[in-house]
Amino acid sequence: MSQSFSAAAGSFVSLPQYILEHWQPLILPPAPFPQVLTASLSALVISEANSWYPGSALFKILTSLSFLLGGFAQLQSLSQTTSTSTSQSTSTPLLTSPPSYHASQFGAAHFLLVGLLFSLIGDILLIPPRSSYLAYHPRKTTRPKPTSPRIASSDTSNLGNRFRLGMLFFALAHSAYIFSFLSRPFSPDSTSATPLQWGPFLTTFGSLMYIASLLGLFSSTSSPVTPSSTEPRPHAPAHRSTFTLHIPPSMRWMVIAYTIVICSMVATAAATDAGQQRTLGAVMFAISDIFVARDVFGGGVAGWMWRAGGWTLYFGGQMVLAGCVA
């Protein structure tokens, strides 16, 4: 029994050692883009906590621009590295090796940048109109809180064209990431794409779809629900669970399609990642969408702290993915 305990203890101790030995340091875009993202995200949270619409809208766009421009900065650095390698190969006739790893991966980098661009557009589309924002972000003033929802209760079949279009652009972003992940592994030590590993893909995809079903993403309700990030409901019954979602029938198939796309994106990242960075970024993105779903379909205003948690995961994950351009 003591030998079994020692073996178990040894396995437990070896797990952190295994992680330390196999964990590859994250590659982020060059300065100042990660720093700008951190500062603008902090300003966004402060603006949201104080119900300051100009700051909330402005700093959200600035934070999104940070990961997009960071990705382009990575690509520029990539081009400079390729030019240097090419010039050295030209000046040394004995060097007849094939194009460098970086030079052969421009397709994957561009797919990833397209995904970042689509995400920026989606972020802009999900910024609510000023009137709707102020209606459900009352400041501590004498201004009375409105009693009517942003969308009339009789209009339960439409959650807003901006929200639908925003979902479409995020689905396109996930699709672009899938194409990027399938193009190559994220590892400087490899020069060819890793074939999709169907075992990890199916396991990850199936697990995520099961979690999504537990969260209620595949069910619908006829009760009026309006997204809180764009069209929030003013009240929520106290007995509802934190992750209880109420998706109207008009949005059911769109939500299901979006869920399949994002689960496919995370599964593809896990099944093609030569390290852990793209998987980490994809998982952070997916978890942030749970925060969005609760805020949008949870039947009430989740609060600025809830949105701050989702934003931290989302923007952090996007910056991690932007680093995968390298």
Side-chain angles (χ1 to χ4, degrees), residues 68-186:
L68 176 61
L69 296 179
F72 277 102
Q74 280 285 80
L75 183 60
Q76 184 178 10
S77 175
L78 195 66
S79 302
Q80 293 175 352
T81 302
T82 303
S83 300
T84 302
S85 301
T86 303
S87 62
Q88 291 177 351
S89 299
T90 304
S91 61
T92 309
L94 295 178
L95 296 178
T96 58
S97 58
S100 67
Y101 168 80
H102 295 292
S104 63
Q105 308 306 336
F106 270 28
H110 287 154
F111 275 126
L112 202 149
L113 288 174
V114 168
L116 295 175
L117 176 61
F118 284 154
S119 297
L120 168 64
I121 298 174
D123 286 332
I124 295 174
L125 288 170
L126 292 188
I127 296 176
R130 181 184 179 90
S131 58
S132 298
Y133 180 93
L134 294 179
Y136 295 98
H137 293 73
R139 298 183 183 180
K140 296 179 179 180
T141 63
T142 57
R143 179 173 59 86
K145 181 178 179 179
T147 58
S148 59
R150 296 184 188 181
I151 292 181
S153 58
S154 59
D155 188 14
T156 59
S157 63
N158 184 5
L159 292 180
N161 292 329
R162 288 172 62 91
F163 180 75
R164 292 173 183 269
L165 195 56
M167 281 188 65
L168 173 62
F169 272 97
F170 278 118
L172 291 174
H174 296 315
S175 300
Y177 291 156
I178 290 174
F179 282 112
S180 178
F181 297 159
L182 291 175
S183 299
R184 67 169 175 88
F186 180 65

Side-chain angles (χ1 to χ4, degrees), residues 21-44:
E21 290 177 354
H22 291 81
W23 180 267
Q24 299 177 2
L26 297 179
I27 299 176
L28 296 179
F33 299 103
Q35 293 80 2
V36 172
L37 184 142
T38 302
S40 56
L41 176 59
S42 300
L44 171 60

Side-chain angles (χ1 to χ4, degrees), residues 18 25 42 48 52 161 165 220 224 228 230-231 233 248 314:
Y18 176 85
S42 300
E48 188 71 10
W52 186 41
N161 292 329
L165 195 56
S220 62
S228 75
T230 53
E231 308 291 348
R233 288 188 67 189
Y314 167 72

Side-chain angles (χ1 to χ4, degrees), residues 199-309:
F201 177 87
L202 293 176
T203 301
T204 304
F205 181 80
S207 300
L208 293 175
M209 292 291 286
Y210 177 70
I211 294 174
S213 66
L214 293 179
L215 295 177
L217 289 171
F218 301 145
S219 60
S220 62
T221 177
S222 59
S223 60
V225 180
T226 54
S228 75
S229 292
T230 53
E231 308 291 348
R233 288 188 67 189
H235 304 291
H239 67 273
R240 286 180 178 170
S241 172
T242 301
F243 290 104
T244 298
L245 304 180
H246 300 270
I247 301 173
S250 62
M251 287 288 293
R252 181 187 179 191
W253 291 109
M254 186 173 189
V255 171
I256 290 176
Y258 179 84
T259 302
I260 293 174
V261 172
I262 191 172
C263 289
S264 299
M265 186 272 290
V266 178
T268 303
T272 61
D273 200 352
Q276 71 283 322
Q277 179 158 341
R278 67 167 53 160
T279 303
L280 176 63
V283 168
M284 291 175 69
F285 199 150
I287 296 176
S288 74
D289 270 352
I290 297 177
F291 284 74
V292 174
R294 169 63 181 87
D295 198 23
V296 170
F297 300 115
V301 178
W304 69 268
M305 294 186 66
W306 184 269
R307 286 187 287 275

